[in-house]
Amino acid sequence: MKDLVIVGAGGHAREVHQSILAINRVSPTWNFLGFIDDFARSTEVAGCPVLGGMAWLRGKTCHMVVAIGSPAVRRRVVNELLLQESAEFATLIHPSAQVGNSVILEPGCMVSAGAILTADVKIGRHVIVNTGAVVSHDCQIADFCTIAPMSCLCGAVRLGEGAELGASVTIIPGVSLGKWSMAGAGTTVIRDVPDNETVVGGTNRVINKQNAGWHEKV
Ligand SMILES: CC(C)(COP(=O)(O)OP(=O)(O)OC[C@H]1O[C@@H](n2cnc3c(N)ncnc32)[C@H](O)[C@@H]1OP(=O)(O)O)[C@@H](O)C(=O)NCCC(=O)NCCS
């Protein structure tokens, strides 16, 4: 069993803790030591100790995963940890996730329960693919992206570094979301989004109107 800490102690951190428990049920892999949080309001989270702030990690050789939902904050914390020579990042995949054998996942990624990553997908460092999200063939997801629950990336979608998808975002095939951009919850992204932009909304624009009963004449 390898020693592991979760950096962060909020909602996503508790979800990642659940993933660790599920992984260990299938195959005992991680000796979970506790949570690291500079701003913890409690000494215990999910029945496990909050070990201390980032200073606790100095000189330690344990694996770690940065379970902070915000891409920008996650990047800042990872960069602080990289200043410590011993930083070794774990990749955690919930056993109920489906990850194709041609999928590349870089260190620090967290793939939650029920997520599906199909074929020839590339996922960069410290990416979150949250519960039930679908990442289809040939998608390229850069470092520090966050894909919220139930989002659906059709084929060959590209997310730039730090791009964030709210819950249930759909991105149609071949479309890109730029670096540090965001698509709000429920958004359907149908054209490329430049860097540093937030887009929202469905696209329920009427583009065709047929006479009632048209379907009986086909
Ligand atoms: C996109 C988002 C970040 C915008 O937050 P914000 O900057 O605080 O924006 P506001 O709430 O001030 O809204 C600004 C405008 O955008 C609209 N808007 C915001 N989010 C929207 C969404 N998801 N879909 C459609 N319209 C949205 C608001 O109605 C408002 O419109 P108005 O100016 O015409 O009144 C946020 O609404 C969102 O969707 N976050 C994702 C949360 C999520 O899914 N997290 C996953 C957790 S696991």
Side-chain angles (χ1 to χ4, degrees), residues 75-97:
R75 176 178 169 274
R76 177 172 55 72
V77 169
V78 165
N79 285 343
E80 278 179 45
L81 292 169
L82 284 172
L83 297 175
Q84 305 181 18
E85 283 173 24
S86 56
E88 191 162 359
F89 295 106
T91 298
L92 299 177
I93 302 171
H94 192 284
S96 69

Side-chain angles (χ1 to χ4, degrees), residues 194-209:
D195 297 347
N196 304 306
E197 280 192 10
T198 298
V199 294
V200 295
T203 53
N204 293 349
R205 187 162 56 102
V206 179
I207 58 169
N208 185 17
K209 201 163 184 173

Side-chain angles (χ1 to χ4, degrees), residues 15 53 100 112 121 130 163 175-176 189:
E15 291 183 351
S112 301
V121 167
N130 217 323
V175 165
S176 303
V189 183

Side-chain angles (χ1 to χ4, degrees), residues 3-25:
D3 289 346
L4 173 71
V5 298
I6 295 177
V7 180
H12 188 65
R14 281 181 282 121
E15 291 183 351
V16 169
H17 175 240
Q18 291 298 321
S19 285
I20 293 165
L21 297 178
I23 291 166
N24 281 347
R25 278 196 292 274

Side-chain angles (χ1 to χ4, degrees), residues 29-52:
T29 306
W30 299 109
N31 175 35
F32 180 60
L33 301 179
F35 297 89
I36 298 293
D37 191 346
D38 280 336
F39 306 103
R41 278 167 282 173
S42 159
T43 54
E44 217 180 77
V45 167
C48 300
V50 177
L51 302 165

Side-chain angles (χ1 to χ4, degrees), residues 19 41-42 55 60 73 100 103 131 143 158 166 183 186 199:
S19 285
R41 278 167 282 173
S42 159
K60 302 283 194 314
V73 177
V103 172
T131 314
D143 299 345
R158 286 167 182 256
V199 294

